[in-house]
């Protein structure tokens, strides 16, 4: 659909920033980030040009999975502060014209949630069916072969009631039974609670996990499994995830959001493009933005990325809005995947593609994955499969603000260590450096805001080979040419059938700016340029 036909909303035009609250800013010296800390850094986010903030879970939780195991959906964990702090945060975010997106974790609760305590208390408890209970097989073993994402079986035996319960993640995270209408109603009320407060939307955790096969059939073996992979990869989760009925649930959640004004829902979904698209719903009555993780999962290879951008664009349903992500709290950081120099090119890609970009905290200063010694590993995924190097701690380390002790993150002992070089890589030193990563991010975001061609304009693929990726963004008469060298070696871009003339307005090597482009373009390794084309 041509851009002119659509009215664009904040979550289409804006840039989203993900905060991992444990690691953003501590205000009380306990070494863990908190809500007051976030409030104290809102000016920074406003300066950076962020439009919406998504905060990973801040709710009451025993913290078996760092807040993704919730024991009260309507309570704030004391580590993060109080409900008053939350109200203040929301107010301060809105006062700056920004939006606040909360993490909703509907697939599972904590095993300490009162619903589960009731459910497991007896087989005839009214909440028994709120979770997924199943008899053992005749020999006492698990009901089927489903595995936990975090290692081992997905089933846990309950001595008291002599049945198994299912947990897609930790045994401390029992899965809710979304086929039960009471569960649906309870979670919709959780949504309303936060929406009534004025929260602008939700990022919905593991949306594609929410409904399971009602016959509990075994998952098939994965022919592509290799021993270095997580044990969960041994099977294809054909029956434990992405069931057709999930779309009924997503539609109902969407209907709750639609009771309010301009609220939105992002779905966390790791699925191939065609499957991902189904989460937009028929006639866009599903998630507003099913998270697009292509840039996280593909090899960093120009032609592969170009073809996937086109497949993604081509597969979008009419009216479905695209989005792009370079990093999150579950994945290695982009700088560690592609290197510091190439991470600048990645930033330019993220912020010039068509679709809402989500920036993971710290990526804007080029934070790297921080090596955490084995005895300090905290992530259950890392602890459960120690030899597979799957800990997510390295990409969750404290934000590097300045060169004082603990990088200005805390006055106490940080919950995860900082890297030795934080005095060199931090917000403060980068803020006024015209060549820094932070300056690059800020200028890209600024230009994106100023130029409709970049925020809401059309995407026109142009060229790709084993090094170069080039495309055009266009709105009305305004056209921008983006040429990115995804390799470390120099290359040429010589467009066929077209001649382009224009001026470089932004470049990963800023010395290139203000030069004019006429015929062929030569690029250094790790170089990306953004060219305003002459009309
Ligand atoms: C999502 C979260 C991840 C969490 C898991 C279980 O994938 O992003 O951090 O561990 O769900 O809730």
């Amino acid at each position: 659909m041509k851009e002119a036909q659509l009215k664009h909303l904040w979550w289409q035009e804006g840039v989203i920033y993900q905060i991992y609250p444990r690691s953003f800013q501590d205000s009380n010296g306990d070494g863990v980030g908190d809500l007051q800390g976030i409030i104290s850094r809102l000016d920074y986010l406003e300066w950076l040009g962020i439009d919406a903030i998504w905060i990973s879970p801040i709710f009451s939780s025993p913290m078996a999975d760092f807040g993704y195991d919730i024991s009260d959906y309507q309570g704030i964990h004391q580590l993060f502060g109080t409900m008053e702090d939350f109200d203040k945060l929301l107010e301060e975010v809105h006062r700056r014209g920004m939006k606040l997106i909360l993490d909703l974790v509907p697939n599972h609760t904590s095993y300490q949630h009162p619903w589960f305590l009731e459910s497991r208390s007896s087989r005839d408890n009214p909440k028994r069916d709120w979770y997924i209970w199943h008899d053992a097989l005749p020999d006492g073993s698990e009901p089927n072969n489903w595995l936990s994402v975090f290692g081992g079986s997905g089933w846990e035996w309950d001595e008291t009631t002599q049945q198994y319960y299912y947990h897609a993640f930790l045994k401390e995270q029992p899965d809710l039974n979304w086929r039960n209408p009471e569960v649906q109603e309870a979670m919709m009320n959780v949504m309303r609670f936060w929406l009534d407060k004025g929260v602008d939307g939700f990022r919905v955790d593991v949306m594609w996990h929410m409904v399971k096969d009602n016959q509990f059939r075994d998952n098939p073996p994965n022919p592509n499994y290799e021993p270095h992979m997580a044990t969960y990869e041994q099977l294809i989760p054909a029956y434990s995830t992405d069931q057709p009925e999930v779309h009924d649930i997503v539609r109902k959640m969407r209907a709750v959001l639609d009771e309010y004004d301009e609220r939105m829902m992002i779905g966390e979904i790791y699925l191939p493009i065609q499957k991902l698209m189904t989460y937009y719903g028929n006639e866009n009555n599903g998630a507003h933005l099913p998270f697009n993780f292509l840039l996280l999962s593909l090899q960093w290879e120009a032609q592969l990325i170009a073809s996937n951008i086109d497949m993604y664009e081509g597969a979008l349903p009419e009216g479905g809005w695209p989005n792009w992500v370079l990093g999150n709290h579950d994945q290695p950081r982009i700088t560690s995947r592609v290197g510091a120099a190439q991470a600048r090119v990645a930033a330019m890609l993220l912020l010039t593609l068509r679709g809402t970009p989500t920036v993971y905290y710290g990526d804007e200063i080029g934070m790297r994955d921080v090596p955490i010694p084995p005895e300090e590993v905290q992530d259950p995924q890392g602890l459960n499969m120690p030899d597979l190097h799957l800990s997510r701690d390295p990409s969750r380390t404290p934000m590097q603000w300045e060169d004082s002790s603990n990088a200005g993150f805390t006055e106490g002992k940080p919950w995860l260590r900082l890297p030795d070089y934080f005095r060199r890589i931090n917000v403060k030193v980068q803020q006024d450096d015209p060549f820094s990563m932070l300056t690059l991010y800020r200028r890209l975001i600024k230009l994106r805001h100023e130029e409709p061609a970049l925020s809401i304009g059309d995407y026109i693929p142009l060229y790709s080979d084993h090094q170069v990726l080039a495309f055009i963004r266009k709105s009305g008469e305004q056209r921008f040419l983006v040429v990115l060298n995804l390799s470390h070696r120099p290359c040429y871009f010589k467009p066929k059938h077209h001649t382009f003339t224009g001026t470089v307005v932004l470049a990963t090597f800023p010395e290139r700016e203000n030069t004019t482009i006429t015929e062929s373009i030569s690029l250094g390794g790790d170089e990306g340029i953004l060219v305003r084309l002459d009309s």
Side-chain angles (χ1 to χ4, degrees):
M1 186 179 287
K2 287 271 180 283
E3 50 113 344
Q5 293 168 256
L6 294 163
K7 173 180 180 263
H8 292 91
L9 301 173
W10 63 267
W11 51 269
Q12 298 175 306
E13 290 176 336
V15 176
I16 301 175
Y17 186 93
Q18 181 190 355
I19 289 180
Y20 194 66
R22 294 183 73 87
S23 295
F24 200 57
Q25 179 64 57
D26 179 21
S27 73
N28 62 359
D30 65 0
V32 177
D34 48 43
L35 297 178
Q36 284 295 342
I38 296 174
I39 293 171
S40 71
R41 295 296 186 181
L42 290 177
D43 287 345
Y44 164 74
L45 296 177
E46 192 181 12
W47 171 85
L48 184 57
I50 297 305
D51 300 278
I53 302 165
W54 151 37
I55 316 183
S56 288
I58 48 173
F59 315 105
S60 308
S61 161
M63 293 284 170
D65 187 21
F66 294 106
Y68 283 95
D69 50 321
I70 296 171
S71 52
D72 178 2
Y73 286 93
Q74 287 160 220
I76 302 290
H77 197 294
Q78 77 253 17
L79 263 176
F80 299 122
T82 63
M83 193 57 90
E84 287 70 50
D85 294 331
F86 176 80
D87 292 339
K88 181 77 181 154
L89 172 66
L90 186 59
E91 186 191 320
E92 289 292 319
V93 168
H94 284 165
R95 195 166 66 75
R96 288 169 174 80
M98 297 192 278
K99 306 285 184 182
L100 190 64
I101 300 167
L102 288 186
D103 216 308
L104 183 74
V105 187
N107 177 70
H108 45 268
T109 68
S110 162
Y111 73 131
Q112 295 296 352
H113 195 292
W115 298 342
F116 188 67
L117 296 179
E118 274 193 55
S119 182
R120 81 182 308 177
S121 65
S122 76
R123 284 203 192 192
D124 52 14
N125 184 280
K127 290 210 168 54
R128 183 65 171 180
D129 184 52
W130 280 40
Y131 292 82
I132 300 172
W133 292 98
H134 211 289
D135 287 334
L137 294 182
D139 66 355
S141 60
E142 291 84 354
N144 64 23
N145 69 355
W146 296 357
L147 297 172
S148 157
V149 174
F150 290 152
S153 167
W155 295 97
E156 180 70 12
W157 179 248
D158 181 58
E159 263 317 313
T160 323
T161 58
Q162 297 284 302
Q163 276 190 319
Y164 282 97
Y165 67 86
Y166 176 66
H167 57 92
F169 296 89
L170 298 174
K171 66 179 191 313
E172 291 86 358
Q173 295 168 294
D175 280 43
L176 283 160
N177 174 18
W178 271 89
R179 293 179 186 273
N180 183 323
E182 291 176 24
V183 169
Q184 299 180 9
E185 193 49 34
M187 200 60 73
M188 307 294 165
N189 286 335
V190 169
M191 293 175 73
R192 290 190 185 98
F193 173 81
W194 293 106
L195 292 168
D196 286 342
K197 274 189 173 288
V199 159
D200 299 287
F202 299 103
R203 171 269 191 188
V204 180
D205 193 62
V206 296
M207 189 178 261
W208 84 114
H209 271 266
M210 288 174 62
V211 182
K212 294 68 161 139
D213 178 40
N214 57 6
Q215 297 174 54
F216 293 93
R217 284 170 280 189
D218 274 347
N219 280 326
N222 174 7
N224 301 319
Y225 171 74
E226 290 171 29
H228 66 85
M229 297 176 177
T231 51
Y232 178 72
E233 308 285 337
Q234 288 167 352
L235 304 177
I236 293 174
Y239 293 109
S240 52
T241 63
D242 191 37
Q243 297 302 293
E245 299 93 324
V246 74
H247 298 292
D248 300 336
I249 308 294
V250 175
R251 200 173 53 239
K252 287 181 184 169
M253 294 171 87
R254 169 63 178 265
V256 172
L257 289 155
D258 288 348
E259 294 166 11
Y260 300 77
D261 197 23
E262 284 196 19
R263 311 300 169 93
M264 63 88 81
M265 173 163 70
I266 310 176
E268 185 206 19
I269 301 151
Y270 286 89
L271 286 174
I273 292 174
Q274 295 299 337
K275 288 281 194 177
L276 183 67
M277 293 304 160
T278 63
Y279 285 78
Y280 281 100
N282 294 329
E283 293 162 12
N284 292 302
N285 61 3
H288 296 84
L289 300 177
F291 255 145
N292 163 13
F293 294 134
L294 284 170
L295 298 179
L296 287 177
S297 40
L298 293 170
Q299 291 293 320
W300 202 255
E301 204 273 303
Q303 222 149 30
L304 183 67
I305 289 186
S307 59
N308 275 275
I309 295 170
D310 291 345
M311 287 192 280
Y312 176 77
E313 279 278 351
L316 278 168
E318 180 150 344
W321 188 253
N323 75 92
W324 297 94
V325 177
L326 273 186
N328 65 36
H329 63 293
D330 296 324
Q331 304 293 335
R333 284 192 182 270
I334 186 68
T335 312
S336 292
R337 284 181 55 214
V338 303
Q342 187 59 216
R344 295 174 67 88
V345 178
M348 190 170 270
L349 178 63
L350 173 73
L351 293 163
T352 57
L353 279 171
R354 190 178 83 97
T356 309
T358 300
V359 177
Y360 183 50
Y361 87 96
D363 279 358
E364 78 276 22
I365 56 168
M367 273 174 62
R368 292 159 33 107
D369 285 347
V370 177
I372 305 295
E375 61 281 8
E376 292 175 22
V377 172
Q378 308 213 28
D379 175 25
Q381 180 167 278
L383 292 170
N384 289 357
M385 295 171 275
D387 301 327
L388 297 177
H389 310 292
L390 293 172
S391 168
R392 298 168 293 180
D393 293 337
S395 60
R396 297 175 172 182
T397 58
M399 181 68 176
Q400 296 157 210
W401 293 106
E402 54 188 47
D403 66 2
S404 63
S405 63
N406 296 324
F409 165 69
T410 182
E411 288 177 358
K413 183 175 184 299
W415 77 284
L416 279 177
R417 61 166 61 207
L418 285 136
D420 307 330
Y421 52 74
F422 74 77
R423 291 178 197 280
R424 189 159 45 82
I425 300 182
N426 63 57
V427 170
K428 191 101 176 277
V429 299
Q430 293 192 18
Q431 234 161 357
D432 300 315
D433 174 358
F435 300 100
S436 70
M437 182 70 121
L438 183 55
T439 300
L440 178 67
Y441 262 89
R442 184 161 180 255
R443 292 181 60 212
L444 281 164
I445 293 172
K446 186 158 180 283
L447 193 64
R448 195 179 168 97
H449 283 142
E450 287 165 359
E451 298 292 346
L454 293 173
S455 56
I456 54 170
D458 297 334
Y459 166 85
I460 304 164
L462 194 61
Y463 176 80
S464 68
D465 61 25
H466 65 290
Q467 290 179 286
V468 180
L469 164 58
F471 55 88
I472 285 178
R473 298 296 311 283
K474 174 177 183 294
S475 173
E477 294 300 301
Q478 281 289 351
R479 286 186 312 154
F480 284 87
L481 166 67
V482 183
V483 190
L484 306 172
N485 182 353
L486 267 63
S487 79
H488 304 306
R489 305 199 53 232
C491 66
Y492 297 101
F493 168 59
K494 204 164 184 228
K496 285 192 192 125
H497 317 300
H498 299 272
T499 29
F500 293 110
T501 58
T503 309
V504 177
V505 287
L506 241 166
T508 56
F509 294 82
E511 290 86 349
R512 184 82 181 248
E513 290 165 14
N514 300 319
T515 58
T516 50
I517 297 300
T518 44
E519 270 169 49
S520 77
I521 300 172
S522 53
L523 291 175
D526 304 310
E527 184 165 21
I529 58 173
L530 185 49
V531 183
R532 186 194 300 275
L533 293 177
D534 301 336
S535 45

